[in-house]
Amino acid sequence: MKVILATSFALVAFAFNSILCRMALGTDEIDAASFTAIRLLSGAVTLSILLLLRNKKRDVFKAGNWRSAFFLFAYAICFSFAYLGLTTATGALILFGCVQMTMIGISITKGERPSSLEWLGLVVAAAGLVYLVLPGLTSPPLSSAVLMATAGVAWGIYTLRGRASEDPLADTTGNFARSVPMIALATLPFVSQIHLSNRGIILAILSGSVASGIGYTVWYAALKYHTATRAAVLQLAVPVIAAGGGILFLAESADLRLVIAAALILGGIGLTIAGRK
């Protein structure tokens, strides 16, 4: 039950991360570089406070590592800038397609062999994703598509590296703290383009502190109980949850397509879990 709750919380956090990013960047409340910088910095601060409350003598740089921090940074900055030129649907398809290919491809090279039922679940869930985003698909600008594909690969690798974490809170804190100087350097070329609003800053802080910092920590805690294939397929639930959040918080409409797509994706996830058992 703890694994189910942790996994569910993480996936909901991922979905709200997309919603918060869409609310901030889609309405031009903040520029992409500033959103990413505030997101990573607020995540590092929040997690550092939680880590210090748990263990007052713990050094945030003793856990985590620079390599994982780099993939976290690469995902975050590529994700923000990619959505400046992509529709939500096209971005979701590229992102989660690359996440799946990365995680499953690497796991197969390391000896993991998904069962036939797991493969079936993957195909069904992927078909549900395509069906969900199909009306909103447009021919994406090459630069934006490459950025989102890079974000997908980076997130897939970051997720796989988290499966070995023995202390999810400490490791995620260390990764976020190490990502701050990276985003500080990456933001320098965009200083002249910085524009902020109170709403944009609040959305970025919520994205970093709750949806990213706490969400990624819980995801790291749940990963040890999932195979790479299952972890990849589970994340296909994020667009469905995000669509539901859009209905609740952004006044977006629901239709039969969403219901069918949700059934396909959740059914595919169920097949993948049953296949491993």
Side-chain angles (χ1 to χ4, degrees):
M1 181 58 68
K2 289 182 179 180
V3 178
I4 294 174
L5 291 175
T7 303
S8 300
F9 177 87
L11 296 177
V12 171
F14 295 168
F16 271 91
N17 209 25
S18 297
I19 293 171
L20 292 168
C21 182
R22 189 189 317 167
M23 292 171 67
L25 299 180
T27 55
D28 203 29
E29 297 283 351
I30 190 173
D31 62 285
S34 297
F35 180 88
T36 308
I38 294 173
R39 175 185 176 187
L40 293 178
L41 178 60
S42 60
V45 171
T46 300
L47 293 177
S48 296
I49 293 172
L50 292 176
L51 186 62
L52 289 172
L53 289 174
R54 193 192 70 177
N55 186 349
K56 295 182 179 180
K57 297 181 179 180
R58 188 63 184 265
D59 185 347
V60 297
F61 285 102
K62 287 186 177 180
N65 58 81
W66 287 102
R67 188 172 297 179
S68 292
F70 171 77
F71 287 116
L72 173 63
F73 153 77
Y75 154 74
I77 192 167
C78 289
F79 178 84
S80 296
F81 276 93
Y83 260 129
L84 294 178
L86 296 175
T87 64
T88 301
T90 304
L93 187 58
I94 296 173
L95 176 68
F96 288 101
C98 289
V99 168
Q100 282 194 81
M101 287 189 293
T102 299
M103 292 185 64
I104 295 174
I106 293 177
S107 65
I108 288 176
T109 62
K110 291 187 175 182
E112 184 177 306
R113 294 293 180 267
S115 67
S116 57
L117 199 55
E118 285 183 297
W119 280 118
L120 177 60
L122 171 63
V123 171
V124 171
L129 174 63
V130 174
Y131 182 73
L132 174 65
V133 304
L134 192 60
L137 292 181
T138 59
S139 179
L142 179 60
S143 59
S144 297
V146 170
L147 282 172
M148 189 59 82
T150 303
V153 173
W155 179 252
I157 296 174
Y158 182 78
T159 296
L160 288 173
R161 292 181 63 83
R163 295 181 68 204
S165 176
E166 296 295 331
D167 190 339
L169 176 57
D171 287 337
T172 308
T173 303
N175 292 337
F176 267 83
R178 287 176 172 84
S179 73
V180 172
M182 298 181 191
I183 189 59
L185 289 175
T187 304
L188 290 178
F190 303 98
V191 170
S192 61
Q193 303 174 24
I194 289 178
H195 64 274
L196 305 169
S197 70
N198 291 335
R199 185 170 184 266
I201 293 173
I202 292 173
L203 291 172
I205 291 174
L206 288 174
S207 174
S209 298
V210 182
S212 297
I214 296 176
Y216 295 176
T217 300
V218 175
W219 181 237
Y220 258 29
L223 277 173
K224 65 177 68 177
Y225 301 100
H226 299 300
T227 65
T229 302
R230 185 194 298 172
V233 176
L234 281 169
Q235 293 179 85
L236 287 178
V238 175
V240 176
I241 301 172
I247 295 169
L248 292 175
F249 299 102
L250 301 176
E252 296 178 352
S253 59
D255 56 16
L256 182 60
R257 177 178 292 276
L258 176 60
V259 175
I260 295 174
L264 286 171
I265 292 173
L266 297 179
I269 291 173
L271 287 173
T272 302
I273 295 174
R276 175 53 56 180
K277 289 182 177 180

